[in-house]
Every structure is written in structure tokens, then in C-alpha cells.
Amino acid sequence: MTHLPTPETDQPHDLLGIGIGPFNLSLAALAHAIPGNPHPLATAFYEQRPAFHWHPGLLIDGASLQVPFLADLVTLADPTSPWTFLNYLRNRDRLFPFYFAERFHIQRAEYDAYCRWVSNQLPGLHFSHQVDAVRWNNERDLFEVDFTQLDTDGEAQALGRTHTRHIALGIGTEPYIPEPLKPLAEAETIPVIHSADYLHHRKTLLNAEHITVIGSGQSGAEIFLDLLRARPAGHEKLHWLARTQAFAPMEYSKLGLEHFTPDYSRYFHALPESVRDELVPHQWQLHKGIDTDTIAAIHDELYRRTLHGGWPDTTLTPGVSVSTGRVANTRIELHLEHTQQNTRSRLTTDAVILATGYRERPLDHILTGLNPYMRRDASTRPRIDNQFRLVLDPAITGNVYVQNAERHTHGVGAPDLGLAAWRSATILNNLTGTNTYHLPERTAFTTFGLTPQHTPIPTQNPDRIPLTQSN
């Protein structure tokens, strides 16, 4: 293994991004050519994977994004950017086909292809670079970043060190497997896989006699539909289980969608910590429900299989939790509990797909060197201000910006692609200290919360109390 030269006189970056998913790719694209900025930012973005890929195990044929194509990497902050989805189509001579297709929601595979097009052309992106540690260098007033350059097999090839004034963390989320099911998922002899790896194991799964899908979100619904379409009528042998009390549609009304606006993010951030923590679990249907078109497609497919009599061999049961599971004679035995009936049962199956969602990757393993400087909330989570910066000790003059690690401070919009460009522009405006990207002051018709007015209560009629006014 070699050590890359890192002279103390090396020129520091203005911004170094850790991770290249859609959010840091958005930041890199907007930072590349800042309007009216004669001095380009010196940026670098590091990613341990060899190339950009967005949920490759879930790019099921026909599966669509749940946000409009305008929620690309840059448009909602700068529609004149060369990195828009429409410019991608123009570059590929596909504008007219897209125009006639009349699609507001594009397929996931097309979004992935668009992001890879940007990542293949945008300078300053370094794949096969794994960031190992981040420290603050007091002598240089810079962040010191250690990294490992990987070879084509993912093995360490060279070690390096670089410096930067600011950092943007975009390390994304990781598949979540409930604790009781981890022993099954870790067993190599049985097919128990997370939905993130579905397409990689699809052929093996389809060969299983009986398949169980666990999870009531969009991924679980898409996988169940894909399996259903691939199985012969009358011999489907599919189970779909969910903890939620129904296979519920996602909240997709126009006013409901305003929870994914900058207005709501600002409102949520200003709430007390205890109120924020209470709100998030109750807002699951804003982002964890199922697209109504997918629900309709599942029902249509099930109905089609009843046209000649009989019912499809499928079981769809909400309100069920899987308490544990074990291997029984090369098959999988799941222990089930029904929350409303207070009953228990067992299900024997040959394959299990865990559509159990994702969790934010912890920041601490990368930021161990900054732990003494980090300010935390009552639950020991990093505090994040309204400019998406970690709240650090004043001794550190640089900023650490976070992307999609701030749901506890900014609400359900944190992982939403529709807020990517706005958040990236907010970060760049803060970093440059200028209004580089013009961002609207108001983005929703809904007024979230009341603006207190100190209105005296009239004494003539004590039963008549004026309402607190809102803007």
C-alpha cells in the first residue's frame, strides 16, 4: 500500500463532500457553476463505491419516483443549470419522446440514469475513495480528512490526507432489519433478504415455493406486485404482512404535500425538541404509505385472477408484527402477533423479503475526531441549526453541513428528493455568505403555526376573547 503525497503547503478545498448520493450530487452540481461567482469554489466529493448507483436493487421495471421530475438535482434552485433533467433529455435527444409521453413522474431507472449522467461529467467527484477520519487542525484552522483510495476490487490501494474549510456529509441511509429478524438475515443457507437487494436475488426468490413480504411501504408494495405478476394464477403462494393497521395510501393531497416545503422545514425546526420527537412517528403516512397507483395495480392484478372463478393464493394481512423467526427443516418459521386480536400464530415460508425501510447512518464513526466539539440534544443526537450545520464548539471556524441526517431537527422532508436543490442552495448561500441562489421566502399556501400577537383582552365583554392572528 502506498501513501499519497500530502505536503503541508497543499491548497485546501473550500468544500469537501463525504458520500455521493443524490443529495451531495445536487450540492456538487450547484457548486460547480455558481451564477455570478467569478471565483469558483474549490470542491471535492469522495465516495467509496466505484460509481454512482441509486438503489440498484429496487429499480423494478415500471417503478416510478414518488416526486415529479422537477425534483431533480438542481431545477428547484436553478432551472438554468446545465445539470437539469430536461437538459439530460436534450443531451440524449429524448426531449420530444418525453414531451409526448406526458409523464410528470418518471421511472426510477430513468432517474438513476440521469444522476449517473451528471456524475460521469461533473468534475471533482472521486469514486473509490473511502473517508476514514475527520479532525480539526487548530494550527491551520482547517478540517483534516484521511481517506483510502480503493482498487477495482474494493481493496485498499493508497492512503491519503487532504484539508478543507468546510465539509458536507451525505453518507445516506442504510437498510434496517428489525433485531428479532437479524439472525435469519445473517444466515447464509436461507433466502431472507432486505428489499434493497431484491433485484439481485429475484431469480432465486421466484424459485421459492412460498414467499413472504414484510413491510407496508412503497418498496414492499412494488415487490409484492412484481412477484404477483411473475407467479402463475392459482399458484401464487404469496404472503404480505404489515405492522400498520392497513395497506394505507400515501398522503398525496396538494395541501398535504406542503409538508415537504421549506416553509414546513423552518416551522418544524423552530418547534421544541420534545414536540418534534412526538410529531415524526405520527407523520408516517406522509412518506411511508403506498402510492395510490401501486395499490390500484395490486388490486387490479388480484381481481384479474378471479375472472374465471376462485381466488388467488395470496394472503394480505395488516396489523401483524413478526416477533421472531427460526429455521425449521430448511424452511423459515415466522412467529406472528396480531395487535388488535391479541392473537399469535406461526407462518412457514421458503423465502422472506424484508421491506422494513432504512435508517440514517450514524455520523459518529466518521466524526469521532470531532466528538469533543459536537453539541448534542437531550437524546444525544447531534444538534443541527437552520442552515443544516452541526452545532460545534466556537473554536472550530469551519462548518460541517449535513444532508439527510436531520429528520429529528427538520422533519419528514429531510430524505425527500424534492427538497434536495433547496437544501443544497441554502448550504451554498451560507458557505459563500451571499445570496448566491435566490430562494423564495414563501413556498406554501399553508401557514404552519401562529404568530403571537400581544392583543389586550377587552374588559367590556369578558366572554368575547379575540383569536390570535396569524400571518
Side-chain angles (χ1 to χ4, degrees):
M1 188 185 305
T2 61
H3 290 264
L4 299 174
T6 54
E8 288 302 312
T9 56
D10 66 332
Q11 291 298 314
H13 303 291
D14 294 312
L15 176 67
L16 186 140
I18 302 175
I20 305 177
F23 297 135
N24 260 359
L25 188 59
S26 165
L27 185 63
L30 288 173
H32 173 245
I34 296 178
N37 188 358
H39 304 292
L41 289 176
T43 64
F45 289 78
Y46 290 178
E47 167 62 53
Q48 66 180 8
R49 296 175 301 172
F52 182 95
H53 286 290
W54 184 70
H55 296 301
L58 280 171
L59 300 181
I60 301 170
D61 286 345
S64 298
L65 282 185
Q66 293 170 285
V67 292
F69 74 89
L70 292 173
D72 62 14
L73 300 172
V74 294
T75 293
L76 290 177
D78 181 12
T80 66
S81 167
W83 310 112
T84 65
F85 176 73
L86 289 179
N87 196 43
Y88 159 73
L89 293 176
R90 177 180 177 274
N91 182 269
R92 296 298 179 92
D93 289 334
R94 294 181 59 230
L95 265 177
F96 272 91
F98 181 74
Y99 166 60
F100 291 120
E102 296 184 342
R103 292 189 178 183
F104 200 46
H105 292 80
I106 62 175
Q107 293 192 12
R108 287 184 182 179
E110 187 165 28
Y111 178 79
D112 176 63
Y114 152 67
C115 288
R116 282 189 283 111
W117 172 76
V118 175
S119 69
N120 289 336
Q121 297 187 83
L122 199 63
L125 306 186
H126 303 276
F127 291 94
S128 296
H129 281 64
Q130 173 185 292
V131 172
D132 302 313
V134 176
R135 293 177 297 275
W136 179 249
N137 187 317
N138 285 305
E139 294 181 358
R140 300 186 63 183
D141 277 343
L142 295 170
F143 291 106
E144 194 171 79
V145 179
D146 291 344
F147 63 89
T148 301
Q149 187 173 317
L150 308 175
D151 62 20
T152 54
D153 296 321
E155 299 296 326
Q157 186 177 44
L159 301 177
R161 176 175 295 171
T162 189
H163 296 83
T164 182
R165 296 181 178 87
H166 306 286
I167 287 173
L169 284 174
I171 58 177
T173 56
E174 58 188 0
Y176 170 72
I177 298 175
E179 201 65 37
L181 299 178
K182 281 186 177 180
L184 290 178
E186 293 169 354
E188 298 181 357
T189 57
I190 55 173
V192 178
I193 61 108
H194 192 274
S195 57
D197 297 316
Y198 171 66
L199 288 183
H200 306 316
H201 299 274
R202 184 175 183 270
K203 185 176 180 180
T204 301
L205 292 166
L206 286 175
N207 288 331
E209 183 176 354
H210 185 277
I211 308 173
T212 299
V213 179
I214 300 174
S216 63
Q218 182 68 18
S219 297
E222 289 174 349
I223 289 171
F224 178 80
L225 178 59
D226 185 62
L227 292 171
L228 180 62
R229 287 171 169 168
R231 308 283 272 193
H235 302 278
E236 295 86 358
K237 295 187 177 181
L238 296 173
H239 253 77
W240 186 15
L241 306 175
R243 283 189 311 166
T244 54
Q245 301 307 314
F247 294 103
M250 184 175 293
E251 168 57 62
Y252 208 75
S253 66
K254 289 179 170 56
L255 291 179
L257 288 175
E258 291 193 339
H259 285 83
F260 300 96
T261 59
D263 283 11
Y264 185 75
S265 293
R266 288 188 286 262
Y267 160 77
F268 187 91
H269 187 273
L271 293 173
E273 179 186 329
S274 60
V275 177
R276 296 197 303 253
D277 288 346
E278 186 178 353
L279 262 178
V280 170
H282 295 292
Q283 295 179 325
W284 66 270
Q285 209 165 339
L286 288 169
H287 61 108
K288 291 185 178 180
I290 306 169
D291 176 79
T292 53
D293 289 341
T294 307
I295 293 177
I298 290 172
H299 192 275
D300 289 347
E301 183 64 27
L302 292 170
Y303 178 76
R304 184 183 67 80
R305 291 167 185 250
T306 68
L307 295 182
H308 303 293
W311 288 75
D313 186 9
T314 59
T315 302
L316 290 71
T317 309
V320 172
S321 62
V322 182
S323 59
T324 186
R326 68 185 185 94
V327 180
N329 297 324
T330 72
R331 303 192 76 196
I332 305 159
E333 184 181 274
L334 300 175
H335 298 182
L336 312 180
E337 297 180 359
H338 196 284
T339 54
Q340 292 179 346
Q341 288 181 322
N342 195 27
T343 54
R344 296 181 180 181
S345 182
R346 295 180 182 181
L347 170 65
T348 301
T349 187
D350 298 292
V352 175
I353 302 160
L354 302 173
T356 47
Y358 297 79
R359 294 292 186 273
E360 295 173 357
R361 284 194 173 94
L363 306 179
D364 291 348
H365 72 284
I366 287 182
L367 300 181
T368 300
L370 298 181
N371 276 342
Y373 305 97
M374 292 173 60
R375 300 294 183 257
R376 299 180 182 273
D377 64 17
S379 300
T380 71
R381 297 166 300 196
R383 289 174 55 195
I384 301 168
D385 71 12
N386 61 1
Q387 300 297 305
F388 303 98
R389 300 174 297 188
L390 290 180
V391 179
L392 301 172
D393 188 283
I396 295 184
T397 57
N399 294 320
V400 177
Y401 300 97
V402 295
Q403 305 228 59
N404 194 15
E406 75 281 6
R407 184 180 297 179
H408 63 291
T409 57
H410 286 73
V412 293
D416 192 77
L417 294 175
L419 285 175
W422 169 75
R423 179 172 52 200
S424 295
T426 301
I427 290 172
L428 290 171
N429 284 355
N430 178 265
L431 187 152
T432 60
T434 63
N435 192 26
T436 297
Y437 286 102
H438 172 73
L439 299 176
E441 293 184 7
R442 183 172 181 178
T443 55
F445 290 113
T446 305
T447 299
F448 298 101
L450 299 174
T451 302
Q453 303 286 334
H454 299 289
T455 306
I457 299 175
T459 57
Q460 289 88 349
N461 186 355
D463 296 327
R464 183 182 176 89
I465 299 176
L467 292 174
T468 302
Q469 298 177 358
S470 61
N471 289 338

